[in-house]
Structure formats: C-alpha cells, structure tokens
C-alpha cells in the first residue's frame, strides 16, 4: 500500500476543528515563490500550482520509468500547501488579496534529493514543454504553532484565526510572525470540485511564549 502522509502524520494534516498546539518538524518541499491574487485566472498562483503538480507527479511515477531514485517507495502525493504574507502586515489581511506574497508548496519524501529533483524538473519540462525553473527544492521548519481545521470558504478564515489566537493566549503564547514564520494553509479539499461550505483547510500560525 502506498505511503500516505496525511494518514501517517495525522497531527499535521488532520487536526480537530478546535485549536491545538503542534510542534512542526523540518520537512522537505518542492515550492514556487511569487506574489499576486491567487484567484486571478491565468495568474502566477495558478501557474505555480500547475508547475508543482507537474514535478510532484513526475517524482511519484518515477518507478515506472528507467530512472531509479535511491530509497524510493510508493506514496500518495501530499496536499498542496501555502505560506502567505503581505508587506507591512503582521499576519495576513484577507481583504487585499492582490498584495499577497506566497510560497506554494507540496511536501516530498526525504529520498527526493537534489539529484532526484533535477531529474524530475528536466523530465517534466521535456514532457510538457514548459519552463519548470521556478520550482525549487526547499526545507522548512515551522517549530511551535497553533493550528485548527477550518471548514468552509477561505474568506471565513478570520473567525478560525481569531479562535486560534484566543486559544494560544489562554495557553500563554502569542503569534510569532517573521520573514520565515508565516500564515500557513494546507488544502485538503478543492472548493471548485465540491461544496465550498464543506471545504477543509488546515490553518497554522507560528507562536512563542508570551
């Protein structure tokens, strides 16, 4: 059976709808960094997502090619994630999506090193005739965070965020946003393919002791 990160790491991908604390370890991702409204048709964000999935599925299906990746095991491609920020804003301001800066990312197994990544980028580019150079291999360590499962449209997230911050404060913590610690979302549902009211998104914020 293929390894499924969502099932094996339920504390990271399947939190409850009530806020909780979590220590997030260092993880490896393929990522694209850019800016702009994520809802813009044909915009940078939607282009980035397409590039990420192109590389992600090239890696996943590598065992069906003549390229052997050392340590490879079959796995389910993890969900899309996003790290969001805006200049001059502590956290995020949902009303001004055009000013968003973001890192869109998909987690990859630890066997994906620079050699395997370079092969996947080259292979995807040759197959799809696209420029995959914006995709990077990175490691991110979030550390201590407060998180919650948000159910519903993205524009309703402020209520979930307020509950997260209230819970964190009750435990003696405050938000700790910085150039490396950002508003984080993990997309477990695609609202374009179902009822937006049932969309599930993990929302995660960095915290520190008050």
């Amino acid at each position: 059976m293929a390894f499924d990160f969502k099932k094996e790491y339920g504390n990271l991908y399947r939190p409850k709808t009530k806020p909780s604390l979590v220590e997030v370890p260092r993880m490896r991702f393929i990522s694209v960094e850019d800016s702009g409204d994520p809802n813009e048709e044909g915009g940078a964000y939607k282009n980035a997502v397409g590039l990420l999935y192109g590389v992600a599925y090239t890696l996943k299906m590598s065992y069906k090619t003549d390229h052997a990746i050392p340590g490879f095991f079959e796995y389910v491609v993890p969900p899309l994630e996003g790290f969001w920020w805006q200049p001059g804003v502590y956290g995020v301001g949902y009303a001004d999506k055009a000013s968003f800066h973001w890192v869109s990312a998909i987690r990859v197994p630890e066997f994906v090193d620079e050699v395997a990544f370079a092969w996947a980028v080259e292979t995807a580019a040759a197959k799809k005739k696209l420029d995959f150079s914006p995709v990077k291999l990175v490691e991110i360590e979030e550390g201590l965070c407060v998180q919650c499962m948000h159910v519903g449209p993205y524009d309703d997230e402020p209520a979930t965020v307020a509950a997260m911050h209230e819970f964190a404060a009750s435990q003696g913590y405050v938000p700790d946003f910085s150039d490396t610690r950002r508003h984080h979302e993990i997309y477990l549902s695609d609202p374009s393919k179902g009822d937006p009211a049932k969309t599930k998104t993990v929302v995660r914020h960095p915290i520190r002791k008050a």
Side-chain angles (χ1 to χ4, degrees):
M1 183 177 294
F3 186 90
D4 190 336
F5 287 89
K6 297 193 304 297
K7 292 181 180 179
E8 298 297 330
Y9 299 100
N11 64 319
L12 300 177
Y13 296 101
R14 295 187 296 176
K16 298 183 183 301
T17 53
K18 292 184 178 180
S20 60
L21 305 182
V22 62
E23 185 72 34
V24 185
R26 178 178 292 272
M27 293 181 283
R28 192 165 296 175
F29 296 87
I30 52 172
S31 69
V32 176
E33 181 173 341
D34 211 319
S35 61
D37 187 338
N39 298 317
E40 180 185 355
E41 284 299 329
Y45 181 79
K46 294 190 176 182
N47 179 66
V49 171
L51 295 178
L52 286 174
Y53 276 110
V55 175
Y57 277 94
T58 298
L59 288 165
K60 169 186 168 61
M61 304 306 294
S62 63
Y63 71 98
K64 292 192 174 183
T65 72
D66 58 3
H67 182 83
I69 298 178
F72 178 89
F73 54 82
E74 291 189 50
Y75 64 99
V76 177
V77 172
L80 181 70
E81 308 190 29
F83 299 85
W84 302 84
W85 70 100
Q86 292 151 302
V89 177
Y90 192 70
V92 293
Y94 290 84
D96 184 15
K97 294 182 174 64
S99 69
F100 270 131
H101 290 243
W102 40 263
V103 172
S104 189
I106 296 176
R107 186 178 181 179
V108 292
E110 293 301 309
F111 61 71
V112 178
D113 58 12
E114 291 290 351
V115 174
F117 171 71
W119 169 84
V121 168
E122 181 180 355
T123 301
K127 180 178 180 180
K128 296 186 176 291
K129 309 301 181 186
L130 294 172
D131 177 16
F132 280 82
S133 63
V135 184
K136 308 298 180 185
L137 183 66
V138 301
E139 290 193 346
I140 299 173
E141 185 174 3
E142 292 181 87
L144 184 63
C145 296
V146 60
Q147 67 179 9
C148 189
M149 182 71 77
H150 172 74
V151 180
Y154 301 133
D155 287 345
D156 291 347
E157 281 185 16
T160 297
V161 168
M164 288 164 50
H165 289 187
E166 182 178 353
F167 171 77
S170 73
Q171 303 298 306
Y173 296 95
V174 294
D176 188 31
F177 296 106
S178 70
D179 290 342
T180 57
R181 308 190 78 205
R182 294 159 174 160
H183 174 90
H184 183 185
E185 299 177 355
I186 304 174
Y187 308 106
L188 303 181
S189 307
D190 183 346
S192 68
K193 296 180 180 179
D195 184 354
K198 297 180 180 179
T199 298
K200 292 184 177 181
T201 308
V202 180
V203 181
R204 187 180 293 160
H205 278 184
I207 56 174
R208 60 174 173 81
K209 273 291 187 181

